[in-house]
Amino acid sequence: MHSAFETAATASAIPITFATKTTWPEISAALPAPAKAFAAANGFAAKPGAWLALPTKDGAIAQVIFGLEDDGATFRDLFRPGQLPGLLPPGTYRFANAPHDTRLAVLAFALGSYRFGRYRKNDAPKVTLVPPEGVDVADISRMAEAAALARDLINTPSNDMGPEELATAASDLATRFGAEFKCIIGEDLVQQNFPLIHAVGMASTRAPRLIDFSWGDPSHPKVTLVGKGVCFDTGGLDLKPSNGMLIMKKDMGGAANVLALALMVMDAKLKVRLRVLIPAVENAVAGNAFRPLDIFKSRKGPTVEIGNTDAEGRLVLADALAYADEEKPELLVDLGTLTGAARVALGPDLPPYYTNDETLALDVARCAKEQNDPLWRLPLWAPYDSWLDSKVANINNAPSGGFAGSITCALFLQRFVEAAKSWLHVDIYGWTPSAKPARPEGGECQAARAIYQLLSQRYG
C-alpha cells in the first residue's frame, strides 16, 4: 500500500497553511507582497476546499493555502484536508498551522490517498505528508491500511471476489498475524448444522462457506466479530431490478469491514481473544435456489419461513451469530449491508447501530464522533418483534408491510443472540456514492474505526 507519510524530508517539505474566511485576511496580510498580490489576482478567499499554491521567485511552490470552514460554521468537515492528496502536485508537504482537528486531518490525508488500482495503472497521488508532532502515526497508518483493505475487497468485482476469494483474503490476514484459521465449505455446512448459510448459497456454482479464525490469548476477554459476506446478491428468486443489482458486489461489505477491524485489533495487539466469523455466499438464481415460503430450521433451532429471498443477509448472519453466541463472548459485534430501509432513514453516510447495553451504546456514540466515523443509534423496539411472527414457522425473515425495515432486521438477529454479555449490530452501507473529502467514490470502511477505538479503550 502507498504510504501517505514521509519522515525523512522535514526541512524541504512544502508548508500547507489552513485558512478560513475569517482568518484569511490576517494570513494574507502577513504574506510577502508578491505572494499577497498573486493570491489577490487569483481571487482566493479561503472557501472550504479551495486551495492555492503560492510561488517562489524561481517558480517553485513556496507554500499552499487551503480553505476550511469557519469555527462557527453550522457544519465543519473535519475530513476536509482529505481532499489535499488529490489536489496537490507531487511532493512532500507539512502542516504549517493547525487545522480544526490535527489528528483527524492527518487521518483524512491518509484516507484521501487511497486509489483502487487492481485493473488499471494505479493513479495514487504522489503526495506525502510529514506528520505533525504529537500525532500517533503508527495508529493512523494502521487505520489507513485497514480502510484500504476494506475498500479493495468491496471494490473488487464479484467475478474476482466470490466466497472462495473472500476466504483467501481472510486466510492471508490470519496467517499474517498467526491466527488459527478454518473454513467449513459446501455440504459440510449441512453436516455441521449451518442450514441457513447453506440454503442461501446453495444455488451458486461457487460453494458457500463459513470462514472462522481466532487470535490472541485465550485467557483474555472474548470479542467476536461477525461479518455478512454475500459476495453478490441477485436477490434470489425475488430478483432485484437491474438498478438494485448494480453495486451488489458491495454486499460483502460487512465481511470486508470486519476484516479491516480485525487487522487493526491484531496489529495493535489488543488484549482480547478475537474471533472472526464470516458466512460467505453468493445469492444466485438457479433451479435449486431457495424459494419464498420455504421453511428451514436454523442452527439455533427455531424454524424460519422465507418471506423474501432478498432478505438473505440476516439468514446467513443468524447461523453465524448463533454459533458465535455458543461461546458466550464478552462482546459480540456484527456488521452487514442489510437494509435499504436504513439508507432511506439515515442515508449512505450514517449507519444505524443497535444494542440493549446502554454503556456500550454511549461508548459507541462517543468513539464514532472521536474517529469521525459516523453512527446513529436506533432502537431494538420490542413492540415490533411480533411483526416477525409466522403462521407456519417460528419466525419470518421478512415481514410484510415494509415499515421499520432496519429495526425488524435487528430484531430478527436478536432472536439468535442470548448468551453474549453484550451485542452490537451495525447496518452499514459500505459504499460512498459520490466522492467526499477522504472518501473516494466506491467501497467504504464504515464503523470499523469507531469500534476499533472502543476496543482500544477497553482492551488496549
Side-chain angles (χ1 to χ4, degrees):
M1 188 189 82
H2 163 73
S3 174
F5 302 122
E6 171 66 63
T7 56
T10 308
S12 59
I14 300 166
I16 298 170
T17 300
F18 296 102
T20 69
K21 289 181 182 179
T22 301
T23 63
W24 171 238
E26 182 180 346
I27 292 171
S28 175
L31 292 173
K36 184 177 179 180
F38 184 85
N42 279 274
F44 187 77
K47 294 179 181 178
W51 72 289
L52 184 68
L54 299 177
T56 62
K57 289 180 180 180
D58 58 4
I61 299 175
Q63 67 170 307
V64 170
I65 312 293
F66 184 72
L68 299 177
E69 292 84 357
D70 270 313
D71 282 341
T74 305
F75 170 67
R76 292 186 307 167
D77 188 346
L78 299 180
F79 271 1
R80 178 71 65 189
Q83 290 179 243
L84 286 164
L87 298 173
L88 298 176
T92 300
Y93 297 81
R94 63 178 176 85
F95 293 169
N97 61 347
H100 295 309
D101 185 310
T102 300
R103 185 184 68 85
L104 287 179
V106 174
L107 174 60
F109 193 98
L111 294 174
S113 298
Y114 170 83
R115 296 293 183 274
F116 181 57
R118 177 165 175 168
Y119 297 96
R120 66 179 191 184
K121 185 178 179 182
N122 198 330
D123 59 348
K126 295 178 174 60
V127 173
T128 54
L129 179 71
V130 176
E133 291 289 329
V135 171
D136 188 341
V137 179
D139 201 46
I140 287 175
S141 296
R142 182 180 298 131
M143 292 182 192
E145 182 187 0
L149 172 64
R151 289 166 169 176
D152 280 349
L153 291 173
I154 296 169
N155 285 330
T156 300
S158 298
N159 60 313
D160 286 331
M161 186 50 64
E164 183 178 0
E165 290 83 3
L166 184 56
T168 298
S171 176
D172 289 346
L173 185 66
T175 299
R176 172 179 164 186
F177 291 101
E180 306 157 28
F181 180 90
K182 64 180 180 179
C183 197
I184 304 168
I185 303 173
E187 293 302 315
D188 287 346
L189 290 166
V190 178
Q191 301 301 319
Q192 297 188 42
N193 194 23
F194 297 98
L196 295 178
I197 298 173
H198 181 266
V200 173
M202 65 186 176
S204 175
T205 57
R206 307 155 98 180
R209 61 204 68 210
L210 178 63
I211 299 160
D212 182 357
F213 68 83
S214 298
W215 171 91
D217 188 332
S219 68
H220 286 158
K222 292 177 183 174
V223 173
T224 301
L225 311 177
V226 180
K228 174 186 170 185
V230 178
C231 294
F232 192 80
D233 182 20
T234 64
L237 293 178
D238 287 311
L239 195 68
K240 292 178 182 290
S242 58
N243 62 343
M245 212 183 295
L246 189 60
I247 56 171
M248 279 300 102
K249 68 177 184 178
K250 79 169 186 67
D251 215 20
M252 38 61 72
N257 278 284
V258 156
L259 291 176
L261 177 52
L263 186 159
M264 290 186 279
V265 168
M266 294 187 292
D267 191 63
K269 298 181 174 61
L270 299 188
K271 295 179 177 62
V272 297
R273 175 58 170 176
L274 179 71
R275 190 180 190 191
V276 173
L277 292 169
I278 295 172
V281 302
E282 180 177 24
N283 188 19
V285 177
N288 64 332
F290 74 121
R291 295 161 287 256
L293 301 191
D294 279 357
I295 297 174
F296 298 92
K297 187 176 182 181
S298 64
R299 177 181 181 83
K300 190 172 178 62
T303 52
V304 181
E305 181 183 22
I306 306 304
N308 192 312
T309 64
D310 196 20
E312 85 299 329
R314 67 197 68 181
L315 296 173
V316 298
L317 285 178
D319 270 358
L321 283 170
Y323 188 39
D325 196 57
E326 292 164 16
E327 244 190 355
K328 301 179 180 178
E330 181 168 302
L331 177 60
L332 175 54
V333 178
D334 76 82
L335 304 180
T337 52
L338 285 153
T339 70
R343 271 69 267 176
V344 171
L346 298 174
D349 302 341
L350 187 58
Y353 71 95
Y354 299 83
T355 182
N356 279 327
D357 182 331
E358 297 302 318
T359 300
L360 178 61
L362 291 172
D363 286 347
V364 168
R366 176 178 48 78
C367 291
K369 186 174 183 180
E370 289 171 359
Q371 289 296 346
N372 199 28
D373 191 8
L375 297 170
W376 195 264
R377 189 185 186 189
L378 288 183
L380 287 159
W381 188 245
Y384 293 166
D385 194 64
S386 62
W387 294 0
L388 296 165
D389 291 346
S390 165
K391 294 177 181 178
V392 292
N394 297 123
I395 189 172
N396 190 296
N397 79 320
S400 60
F403 289 139
S406 184
I407 293 175
T408 54
C409 176
L411 291 168
F412 179 91
L413 295 175
Q414 187 181 37
R415 299 270 189 114
F416 299 88
V417 178
E418 59 181 352
K421 184 177 178 182
S422 296
W423 170 56
L424 173 69
H425 162 62
V426 192
D427 189 347
I428 67 170
Y429 191 52
W431 190 263
T432 299
S434 56
K436 299 176 179 64
R439 297 181 174 99
E441 180 180 341
E444 190 51 87
C445 187
Q446 285 186 317
R449 289 197 322 277
I451 299 169
Y452 166 64
Q453 173 91 337
L454 171 88
L455 297 178
S456 296
Q457 292 176 359
R458 290 190 175 190
Y459 309 111

